Amino acid sequence: TVVEPTSVISTYLIELVRRHADELLTRQEVNRLLDNLKERAPKLVEEVVPNVLKPGDVQRVLQALLRERVPIRDLESILEAIADVAPRTKDVEILTEYARNAVARTLCHQHKGDDGRLHCVTLDPALEQMVGKSLERTDHGTHLTLPPPVQTRIVAAVRAAVEKASAATRGRTPVLLVPPQIRLWLRRMLEVQLPAVAVLSYNEVVRGFEVESHGMVVLSDES
């Protein structure tokens, strides 16, 4: 197939922007987005910014979403979701997870296959439990205490499961479907070596989407 040089360059630039969208989202750009939203939902913006959340807080949540390539076009739903929980916590990680839930239908459409199904791999329940027990909550936030060698083996096991499942999904990378309390931490484990693998939580699968599992991530006895 012959591809025009302009198409190659534009495709590359679009991918480059998507990959670094979180870095490109400046405070000035966030203020512009909020000003545009104020024209459609003035009461929402007046209620939330800056009384409940400062523009910098909103920026960090939007950057966290973009880092995982979550569209932020539905800013109204995102702002409503984080406004409900912001009086109880200003933790960006928690706010981001609530924001993801608000755009769950968009996530499902984004990752569905050509057949309309959401193709995935899941974690072995024992592995889910191990990761969950390794989360240590302190006054300074939550930390994952799994030793680096174990994390490396988990990444390798996810890679093997995803590559095997890709054969059944015609080359499309399946999502990793996990419990909500460990979703963020699995994503952080994978983001360097497996950036193309989206990690979704069970509560981000909305009604009406059929889910088809193509395997389970299991650590070997040695791991």
Side-chain angles (χ1 to χ4, degrees):
T1 302
V2 178
V3 181
E4 291 293 329
T6 53
S7 298
V8 175
I9 294 174
S10 62
T11 301
Y12 173 76
L13 290 176
I14 290 171
E15 175 61 24
L16 196 64
V17 169
R18 287 175 177 169
R19 191 181 306 167
H20 300 282
D22 60 306
E23 301 171 36
L24 299 174
L25 186 69
T26 63
R27 187 73 56 86
Q28 182 64 34
E29 182 66 17
V30 171
N31 286 325
R32 189 184 67 81
L33 292 174
L34 291 173
D35 287 341
N36 291 340
L37 178 60
K38 191 180 293 185
E39 297 178 2
R40 305 194 315 272
K43 293 296 183 182
L44 172 63
V45 178
E46 291 172 6
E47 176 187 343
V48 178
V49 183
N51 298 325
V52 179
L53 288 168
K54 296 179 180 179
D57 298 323
V58 178
Q59 179 190 18
R60 285 189 286 274
V61 171
L62 296 181
Q63 286 176 326
L65 293 172
L66 290 173
R67 201 169 293 122
E68 292 193 53
R69 302 198 177 191
V70 177
I72 61 172
R73 287 186 293 270
D74 190 3
L75 185 57
E76 184 174 353
S77 296
I78 292 172
L79 199 60
E80 285 180 349
I82 61 179
D84 290 338
V85 70
R88 301 192 299 273
T89 178
K90 296 295 188 293
D91 189 315
V92 173
E93 294 174 353
I94 296 176
L95 294 176
T96 302
E97 294 304 302
Y98 274 87
R100 288 177 59 93
N101 290 338
V103 294
R105 186 169 295 278
T106 299
L107 289 174
C108 290
H109 278 289
Q110 182 181 8
H111 297 293
K112 70 179 181 180
D114 296 335
D115 56 1
R117 297 178 180 178
L118 193 63
H119 297 271
C120 72
V121 294
T122 58
L123 290 185
D124 174 37
L127 183 53
E128 292 178 353
Q129 188 177 25
M130 182 180 71
V131 175
K133 287 184 176 180
S134 300
L135 296 179
E136 183 177 301
R137 293 169 177 82
T138 67
D139 294 337
H140 302 288
T142 304
H143 306 280
L144 184 67
T145 60
L146 275 179
V150 177
Q151 295 188 41
T152 300
R153 290 182 179 126
I154 292 175
V155 172
V158 172
R159 185 195 300 276
V162 167
E163 289 178 350
K164 182 178 180 181
S166 294
T169 57
R170 298 180 181 179
R172 186 182 181 92
T173 302
V175 303
L176 178 62
L177 201 58
V178 301
Q181 60 269 24
I182 64 173
R183 192 210 71 81
L184 175 63
W185 303 99
L186 262 299
R187 175 58 192 169
R188 286 185 176 176
M189 278 190 222
L190 303 178
E191 62 185 356
V192 175
Q193 297 190 43
L194 300 174
V197 178
V199 184
L200 269 62
S201 69
Y202 293 127
N203 58 3
E204 290 171 349
V205 179
V206 298
R207 183 179 302 176
F209 276 89
E210 185 176 349
V211 178
E212 184 173 347
S213 177
H214 296 277
M216 183 177 291
V217 179
V218 181
L219 290 186
S220 63
D221 292 338
E222 178 186 355
S223 301

